[in-house]
């Protein structure tokens, strides 16, 4: 994912380089962000919230995403 919906911080911190904590995103509602503001982002849907995560390095984020996909697809 290359964008995060706009929203407001409810608890945490957001700077021009990263966002950490609880946010209310316009299209998604309650969300937790643990991101550096450089895509791509991993979006995980939980029963009552969304979690966005990435590493500072794009390739590390892509590797993690591939590992997560394998775990979800494996019975």
């Amino acid at each position: 994912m290359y964008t995060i919906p706009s929203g407001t911080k409810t608890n945490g911190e957001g700077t021009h380089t990263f966002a950490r904590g609880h946010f209310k995103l316009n299209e998604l509602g309650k969300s937790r962000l643990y991101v550096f503001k450089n895509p791509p982002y991993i979006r995980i849907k939980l029963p009552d919230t969304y979690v966005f995560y990435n590493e500072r390095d794009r390739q590390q984020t892509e590797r993690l995403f591939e590992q997560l996909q394998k775990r979800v697809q494996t019975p």
Side-chain angles (χ1 to χ4, degrees), residues 5-67:
S6 61
T8 58
K9 175 182 60 165
T10 58
N11 184 9
E13 80 181 297
T15 70
H16 68 286
T17 58
F18 66 89
R20 299 280 188 266
H22 298 252
F23 290 76
K24 184 173 182 183
L25 302 180
N26 293 336
E27 291 90 15
L28 301 176
K30 290 190 331 182
S31 301
R32 292 183 182 205
L33 275 59
Y34 304 99
V35 298
F36 295 96
K37 294 185 178 176
N38 57 320
Y41 306 104
I42 297 171
R43 182 175 80 176
I44 301 167
K45 183 175 183 342
L46 300 176
D48 62 343
T49 192
Y50 286 86
V51 177
F52 287 82
Y53 179 84
N54 75 345
E55 295 286 342
R56 188 180 300 262
D57 178 66
R58 174 188 187 99
Q59 292 173 337
Q60 286 181 311
T61 300
E62 290 170 351
R63 281 193 296 274
L64 177 59
F65 181 73
E66 290 171 6
Q67 291 172 359

